[in-house]
Amino acid sequence: MLEWNLSALFKSEEKLESFTCESVRQAEEFRQKYEKKIAHLNKEEFLISLKNYENLNENVAKIMTYAYLCFAKNTSNGDFYARYEEKCKKIEENLLFFELEFCELETLKSSEFVEFCESYAFYLNRLLKNKKFNLSQKEERVLLYLSNTGASAFSRLFDESMSALRINFEGKKLSEEEILSKLYHNDRRVRKKAAKNFTKALKQNASLLSFILNMIKTELKNICHLRGYENAEMPRHLSNQISQKSVDALILSAEKSYHLVEDFYLIKKQILGFKKLKDYDRYAPLGKEANFSFEKSKEIILKAFRNFSPEFESIAKEAFENGWIDVYPKENKQGGAFSHSATSAAHPFVLLNYTNQRRDLFTLAHELGHSIHQKLSYKVSFLNQNTPLTTAETASVFAEMLVFDYVKDKLKNEELIALYAAKIEDIFATLYRQISFTCFERRVHKEENELKKEQIDAIWMEESAKMFGKSVKLTKNYASWWSYIPHFVHSPFYCYAYSYAQLLVLALYGLYKSGKCENFKELYIEMLSRGGSVSPKELIGVFGFDVEDENFWQFGICEIEKLLKEFKIKALKC
């Protein structure tokens, strides 16, 4: 089965509509029963109310998952998606009072509730910790209703516009995913032409894409002002349960090791025999680029996962067999890839745009890593499942490492060079490129006024150049390539979470391979199973790592240095 089976959520749109109407009714009853009464509940009654609140929130997640997946599969279904957004706003409006009232309780009362509701303690304490950023219920209601016409609306406009984008290439009209896959072609002429034609398509939409980014920036600025956040990054750090100091340390560590990127691409330029390595050459294969059919990737991933854990293999097998994955590009299908957690009443859903490239093998492994994490986290309750981005990306990157190790053990030396180069480039894309993205966002969001496209282009080029140093020549065409990055629109300051996860995984994977932690697999699966029920610091602490230690990131950097050294040795042998 190569497409989603959404019946795991709802058998039909009629069932969806009936469930939604019933959820609206239940939410209205909940509000009538508990609004302005939380302070008068005893601890047993509060736990009952909390579980009812959780169930209603899970209902919203189930409804919106179905609506969003219909939209992602065909972005012309925007009206359908918007209709259920509006219906769910009615549910959310009736639930709005609950967390606000809890945060306004006297300390003694809230502490009593937290102590009694032991399995929800981390969730409740986080509400209390961040309550200073809450607005009044009336103000929160206004923001709730305006959300569909603010950043959410611009995100939808971005998705619809990019999904509809068609790029002319050698007599065909290609999607974003299809044209970007040409950058991995072994013919330089093909790569150059693909980059040029993609740039042309981006420039034709430049005004729209610049306006969208400016509106995202402006809304975030306004929200920060209203809620009292210190800067545009702060809400993301709070959501990620990570300190500004830790993020700054991560970025500084990465920037200090940018020379590893430069070293690698200087070697690659030498191997390819180019006088200049240009931006469209970054992913040029060294040797023959292997193709991986979806069936071949499925076989590799299941074997790689089995070698680590039968439970990993079992969940991935279920994903392949039971309609969790929508595999191939289609007209109006959303670009990129994701794994949507959905709810424990169903299962995760994976979106791919599979084009039979080597990178598609690792993208599939990445998203299945997310799915395994999401499925395991169903073991905790819905309010505890929400994993911070910083640890949410850990399972996905770890899954890629499992597949890399499996594949490399079965290749000859000349084939290994291509694989090592591709893996190092993947790490650079996950770590250094995302740091570059974050530094780009920092500069964009610090600007008080709207930015012209030329200003955004200049910031993008300056931050990109820092990463590559003297190794890669950035062409004028590359200046527009910030405009297709979805995270800048959907989730400002998301990108450093990839970098965090990459270095964390390299440290964890180094520990796993060393054999120094005898029960590593059990600890790792337990970590994933706990979802967001404890802090990232506590989750990682069981392995002996302190994520707040500024020197922690060096563990991951050292693993990259080892990989780069192995690559150089293998390259010299050829």
Side-chain angles (χ1 to χ4, degrees), residues 125-397:
N125 277 322
R126 282 195 67 228
L127 292 181
L128 295 171
K129 181 180 178 181
N130 297 325
K131 71 177 184 178
K132 65 180 179 180
F133 303 114
N134 292 341
L135 301 177
S136 71
Q137 187 170 332
K138 287 183 178 179
E139 290 169 322
E140 294 286 1
R141 181 175 180 270
V142 170
L143 288 181
L144 176 67
Y145 268 88
L146 290 178
S147 62
N148 286 355
T149 54
S152 175
F154 285 109
S155 293
R156 175 183 153 192
L157 176 60
F158 176 87
D159 286 342
E160 289 181 0
S161 300
M162 294 305 295
S163 297
L165 199 67
R166 289 296 175 269
I167 301 97
N168 293 319
F169 188 83
E170 296 182 349
K172 296 181 180 179
K173 289 188 177 294
L174 303 184
S175 68
E176 174 193 333
E177 291 294 329
E178 290 169 326
I179 196 71
L180 289 175
S181 72
K182 301 296 181 185
L183 297 179
Y184 295 79
H185 202 281
N186 58 9
D187 187 335
R188 194 181 200 194
R189 180 194 62 85
V190 171
R191 297 195 301 271
K192 182 177 181 180
K193 187 174 182 180
K196 182 180 177 181
N197 290 10
F198 185 50
T199 300
K200 185 178 179 180
L202 291 176
K203 285 183 175 179
Q204 288 170 348
N205 291 272
S207 295
L208 173 66
L209 297 173
S210 299
F211 181 72
I212 289 174
L213 183 61
N214 272 300
M215 291 302 99
I216 296 295
K217 178 176 86 76
T218 301
E219 183 183 86
L220 181 54
K221 173 187 169 185
N222 291 338
I223 287 174
C224 288
H225 174 71
L226 289 170
R227 293 194 181 279
Y229 295 128
E230 293 173 11
N231 55 50
E233 297 174 50
M234 192 175 185
R236 181 64 62 197
H237 302 336
L238 291 172
S239 174
N240 285 342
Q241 301 168 38
I242 189 172
S243 67
Q244 179 78 50
K245 180 182 177 183
S246 183
V247 175
D248 290 343
L250 164 66
I251 291 174
L252 183 61
S253 295
E255 288 184 321
K256 282 182 177 179
S257 59
Y258 271 166
H259 65 273
L260 296 177
V261 180
E262 186 175 29
D263 289 349
F264 170 78
Y265 281 111
L266 287 172
I267 296 169
K268 184 168 187 174
K269 180 175 71 172
Q270 185 179 350
I271 294 172
L272 290 171
F274 293 165
K275 187 175 180 180
K276 289 183 178 179
L277 193 71
K278 299 193 176 180
D279 52 79
Y280 51 77
D281 293 318
R282 287 170 298 149
Y283 303 123
L286 296 180
K288 186 177 180 182
E289 172 73 349
N291 289 325
F292 290 87
S293 69
F294 182 72
E295 284 301 314
K296 181 64 176 175
S297 291
K298 172 182 173 181
E299 178 187 345
I300 290 170
I301 288 169
L302 287 175
K303 287 179 179 177
F305 285 3
R306 183 192 311 151
N307 288 347
F308 178 72
S309 161
E311 191 165 6
F312 270 42
E313 181 200 19
S314 175
I315 295 173
K317 192 173 182 181
E318 188 180 354
F320 285 120
E321 293 177 354
N322 294 341
W324 293 22
I325 310 172
D326 199 278
V327 180
Y328 294 110
K330 300 180 189 71
E331 187 174 358
N332 292 326
K333 182 178 176 180
Q334 185 175 314
F338 63 69
S339 178
H340 195 300
S341 181
T343 77
S344 59
H347 53 69
F349 290 84
V350 174
L351 179 137
L352 300 174
N353 280 277
Y354 202 91
T355 57
N356 296 325
Q357 305 289 317
R358 178 209 56 81
R359 68 190 182 108
D360 292 313
L361 163 66
F362 288 97
T363 297
L364 176 56
H366 181 102
E367 300 307 338
L368 284 172
H370 278 308
S371 295
I372 289 168
H373 192 180
Q374 291 158 353
K375 177 76 171 178
L376 288 171
S377 72
Y378 288 167
K379 294 177 182 178
V380 295
S381 62
F382 182 75
L383 291 177
N384 287 318
Q385 286 169 21
N386 189 22
T387 308
L389 296 176
T390 41
T391 46
E393 290 298 339
T394 304
S396 54
V397 180

